[in-house]
Amino acid sequence: MFDFDLLQIVAGLPGLVIAMVVHEYAHALVAVKMGDPTPRFAGRLSLNPMNHIDPIGLLCMFLVHFGWAKPVSINPYNFRNPRMGDILVSLAGPFANFVTAFIAMAMLFALFAGTNGAMSSGAQQVFSLIILYNINFGIFNLIPVPPLDGSHVLKELLPGELAYKLAGLERYSFLILLVFLMTPLPFYILQPISRGIIGAMSAVLSFIF
């Protein structure tokens, strides 16, 4: 379960930090755009990693591949449309991760083409991990288990009683996610989705480079 590969940690650090920062910044930005100033007052409308990174969550990402950033606090009652605002803010984080992964892949393709395939293996690994971590971070946060983003979207789409029951799962969320990650389900469910997204992005970029 524990992975102390120093080279992997050094190469993966940019990807993990970028994935967490763009994810939380996107939540903050869309919340402010939707009419809630709470993230701005909390200093979260920033790309400064220190405003978003939870040191323990980052360390856990390296060691057990399960971690977290500081959640962005919002007040849905400030949204012009609370229901739609909550959905858009929730989707903004994963969407930002997927866009970041696509940009990183485009840069990797461009650098590889510009060097005629002579790009260093270290640089390739860094870019590859930026792509992988952003895609996986986006997919993971779409799981409909509180307090992940997917649960906020599902809660707004469910009728009142079911939404209330879903919210009640939050007290067990850490245990649910831990059990989920200890089973083969991530391999059989999340990994194929990740590979599919990477394949789709690569196919699009192959028409350009």
Side-chain angles (χ1 to χ4, degrees):
M1 173 178 275
F2 293 93
D3 184 359
F4 294 100
D5 187 331
L6 183 59
L7 291 178
Q8 181 81 4
I9 290 175
V10 172
L13 184 58
L16 283 179
V17 171
I18 290 171
M20 290 182 173
V21 169
V22 299
H23 185 97
E24 300 302 333
Y25 174 75
H27 283 321
L29 179 63
V30 174
V32 170
K33 294 293 185 182
M34 295 294 291
D36 179 23
T38 306
R40 176 183 284 123
F41 294 152
R44 304 303 298 276
L45 197 63
S46 166
L47 287 171
N48 182 350
M50 299 304 295
N51 294 345
H52 302 289
I53 298 298
D54 183 309
I56 302 300
L58 181 62
L59 181 62
C60 286
M61 283 288 287
F62 280 122
L63 298 181
V64 297
H65 307 295
F66 169 55
W68 55 89
K70 297 176 184 176
V72 173
S73 296
I74 64 170
N75 184 353
Y77 294 105
N78 287 328
F79 296 147
R80 290 177 285 274
N81 182 332
R83 188 175 188 180
M84 183 57 64
D86 195 20
I87 291 175
L88 292 178
V89 170
S90 299
L91 292 176
F95 179 76
N97 287 130
F98 297 143
V99 170
T100 301
F102 184 81
I103 293 172
M105 186 179 290
M107 293 175 64
L108 180 59
F109 271 57
L111 289 170
F112 195 80
T115 60
N116 293 317
M119 186 178 179
S120 72
S121 60
Q124 288 184 48
Q125 185 178 18
V126 170
F127 274 97
S128 296
L129 289 175
I130 290 174
I131 296 165
L132 182 63
Y133 286 149
N134 271 277
I135 289 175
N136 287 347
F137 203 68
I139 294 172
F140 182 76
N141 275 279
L142 288 174
I143 295 174
V145 174
L148 299 179
D149 299 324
S151 71
H152 287 270
V153 176
L154 182 59
K155 182 188 68 176
E156 296 298 346
L157 298 176
L158 289 173
E161 185 177 349
L162 289 177
Y164 179 79
K165 290 181 179 179
L166 177 64
L169 289 176
E170 186 161 1
R171 71 187 73 176
Y172 310 109
S173 59
F174 184 82
L175 179 60
I176 293 172
L177 291 172
L178 188 60
V179 170
F180 173 74
L181 291 170
M182 293 177 66
T183 69
L185 288 176
F187 179 80
Y188 290 113
I189 298 176
L190 301 185
Q191 195 173 77
I193 296 174
S194 177
R195 284 201 299 261
I197 293 175
I198 291 174
M201 290 181 177
S202 180
V204 171
L205 290 170
S206 66
F207 287 105
I208 303 174
F209 297 95

